[in-house]
Amino acid sequence: MSTVKSADGTTISYDVYGEGQPLIIVDGATAHSAVNPLNAETAKLLSDQFRTYVYDRRGRGQSTDTATYAIQREIEDIAALIEDAGQPAIVFGWSSGSLLALDAAAAGLPISQVVAFEPPVVVDDCRPPLPTDYVEQLEAHIAAGHPDLAAELFMTAAVGLPPEMVAGMRQSPYFQPVVDVAHTISYDGRIMGTTMSGNPLPADRWTALDVPVLVLYGDQTWPTLIPGAKAVAAHVPTATLKSVPGAEHSTTPDVLAETLREFAG
């Protein structure tokens, strides 16, 4: 992997594929290159048209981390990647990464378009809201040396899995990779803020965006995620909403690549 230095000295590791218009892919909570091959596979399919950056968010994979965390630091990470790319970029975000992508565009980074895949937003009573002290609980577990409990909290409170299912997952090969990056789950909690509170989105969040935004949701996804995607599309004045046929809380590289091509124009 190649690296760039963020404004606070953090090393951000990335792979880049192809040439053309820059495209930055922002992972959601817990994901990074070693556990999520979908981004690289998508980037390869786009290599004839885009210069796609697949990077590890700070504290995950091959990227380093620097205390104390702030959302602005992650915006600066994206800024460093765009500076490396040399021109305005499209930024695509998965789940909570899509909120970070929107925040980066709202902060005035040289971003030409934003694509948000199933932003974690709950503005009604379709599911229980996140605990108001969710971030504090996560950070307390990490401080006490229990990243496994932080991972469990994420899976139950944020993802919405039943506690008994999560207890069974402790023995699966999928649990330890989440534990390994559990110290970063609170980062996404801070990025989400009140987006999963069951209340309307804050009136001043993303409403000043002046770049095209595409909000995606899978037509086979969890029903509780669809109202959130619709709420973001209604909230952002430059947004359009699109259903992705056959997709759940992810999609296949070929479908994603084609969707991004169509949106880029």
Side-chain angles (χ1 to χ4, degrees), residues 19-24 49-51 53 78-79 81-91 109-112:
E19 294 296 335
Q21 183 174 9
L23 170 63
I24 314 293
Q49 183 177 350
F50 297 94
R51 179 173 173 82
Y53 284 70
I78 295 173
L81 293 166
I82 295 175
E83 183 177 0
D84 185 85
Q87 56 181 302
I90 299 171
V91 181
L109 268 58
I111 292 172
S112 60

Side-chain angles (χ1 to χ4, degrees), residues 142-165:
I142 297 301
H146 297 298
D148 57 321
L149 297 182
E152 283 191 357
L153 178 62
F154 164 69
M155 292 178 177
T156 53
V159 179
L161 298 177
E164 59 272 16
M165 179 182 293

